């Protein structure tokens, strides 16, 4: 049996430095909030400063095509973002990171970072009011990063595009619905949904 030093290193080890023997916090701002797909021992409403939730990632497969790319969410610079932060027990950290890298890092459009997030609903089980969490920030140098799209361009792509997982507008509607269910109000996304829905109805009416 090969010694540990000769075992293949996990994919995430090249992107993020996780302290051995420690729990892991993970910040969710989109589908990770309601469908994390990993075990956790506590979760909290939280705010990440310095980044905001934005439709800034071009989708060529799940919500669009290479010819008509849709848009999905990323964490982009500026402002702040309300989301959910999860604590993963130390025994589950390697498997959780494997799962997250397979889910979020296929095209490497994100840069995983350990960033400080503030708990909004009191303190953690360990008495913490703020934690360092793994956050998936958009890579602004990636070809799928959409720089400087105005609102009308975002609305058109969300209303018009469709991919393997369905219409892009369903992704937006699902996001807004789940945010509302978690008590997280995002006025920007709600406005985009209204405008994209109006456009879709106009197209359907001819």
């Amino acid at each position: 049996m090969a010694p540990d030093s000769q075992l293949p290193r996990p994919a995430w080890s090249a992107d993020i430095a996780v302290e051995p023997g420690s729990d892991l916090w993970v910040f969710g701002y989109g589908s990770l909030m309601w469908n994390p797909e990993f075990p956790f021992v506590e979760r909290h409403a939280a705010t990440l400063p310095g980044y905001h939730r934005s439709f800034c990632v071009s989708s060529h497969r799940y919500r669009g095509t290479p010819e008509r790319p849709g848009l999905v969410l990323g964490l982009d610079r500026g402002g702040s973002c309300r989301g959910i932060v999860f604590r993963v027990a130390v025994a589950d950290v390697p498997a959780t990171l494997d799962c997250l890298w397979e889910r979020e890092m296929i095209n490497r459009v994100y840069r995983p970072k350990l960033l400080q997030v503030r708990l909004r609903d009191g303190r953690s089980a360990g008495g913490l009011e703020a934690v360092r969490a793994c956050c998936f920030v958009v890579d602004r140098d990636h070809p799928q990063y959409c720089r400087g799209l105005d609102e009308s361009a975002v609305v058109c792509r969300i209303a018009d595009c469709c991919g393997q997982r369905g219409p892009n507008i369903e992704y937006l509607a699902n996001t807004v619905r789940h945010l509302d269910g978690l008590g997280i109000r995002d006025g920007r996304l709600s406005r985009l949904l209204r405008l994209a829905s109006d456009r879709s109805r106009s197209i359907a009416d001819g």
Side-chain angles (χ1 to χ4, degrees):
M1 190 171 181
D4 290 347
S5 61
Q6 295 181 19
L7 293 175
R9 298 181 65 197
W12 46 265
S13 64
D15 299 309
I16 194 169
V18 178
E19 187 175 346
S22 297
D23 294 348
L24 174 73
W25 291 89
V26 179
F27 180 73
Y29 59 91
S31 62
L32 280 178
M33 290 190 294
W34 57 84
N35 184 30
E37 296 184 328
F38 55 78
F40 57 89
V41 292
E42 61 180 305
R43 75 172 192 171
H44 298 272
T47 298
L48 170 68
Y51 296 88
H52 65 283
R53 185 188 293 108
S54 174
F55 274 98
C56 61
V57 177
S58 186
S59 176
H60 301 164
R61 181 179 178 186
Y62 290 138
R63 298 295 174 176
T65 65
E67 297 74 25
R68 298 184 64 185
L71 290 171
V72 293
L73 290 168
L75 283 174
D76 206 356
R77 293 200 302 250
S80 63
C81 180
R82 293 181 62 188
I84 300 293
V85 68
F86 303 88
R87 180 168 68 88
V88 179
V90 60
D92 295 317
V93 169
T96 294
L97 288 170
D98 287 342
C99 173
L100 287 170
W101 257 244
E102 183 176 346
R103 171 173 169 166
E104 304 292 334
M105 295 292 289
I106 294 175
N107 296 325
R108 302 195 67 81
V109 69
Y110 301 113
R111 287 184 174 177
K113 295 186 177 184
L114 291 173
L115 301 172
Q116 192 90 345
V117 300
R118 178 172 56 86
L119 308 187
R120 298 178 58 90
D121 56 0
R123 299 186 179 192
S124 71
L128 301 174
E129 295 180 349
V131 298
R132 282 174 61 81
C134 178
C135 305
F136 291 94
V137 174
V138 69
D139 181 355
R140 285 187 155 209
D141 294 324
H142 196 281
Q144 287 177 245
Y145 173 66
C146 298
R147 186 185 301 274
L149 290 179
D150 60 24
E151 184 178 72
S152 61
V154 173
V155 168
C156 287
R157 287 177 65 166
I158 290 175
D160 299 350
C161 293
C162 184
Q164 289 182 3
R165 292 189 177 175
N168 205 157
I169 195 170
E170 287 185 359
Y171 172 86
L172 171 56
N174 191 44
T175 299
V176 171
R177 182 173 66 255
H178 281 93
L179 285 173
D180 288 345
L182 292 167
I184 299 173
R185 176 71 176 170
D186 190 313
R188 184 185 296 108
L189 292 195
S190 296
R191 174 177 168 81
L192 286 177
L193 180 57
R194 289 195 302 271
L195 294 174
S197 299
D198 289 345
R199 177 177 172 84
S200 294
R201 282 193 293 269
S202 298
I203 293 172
D205 292 341

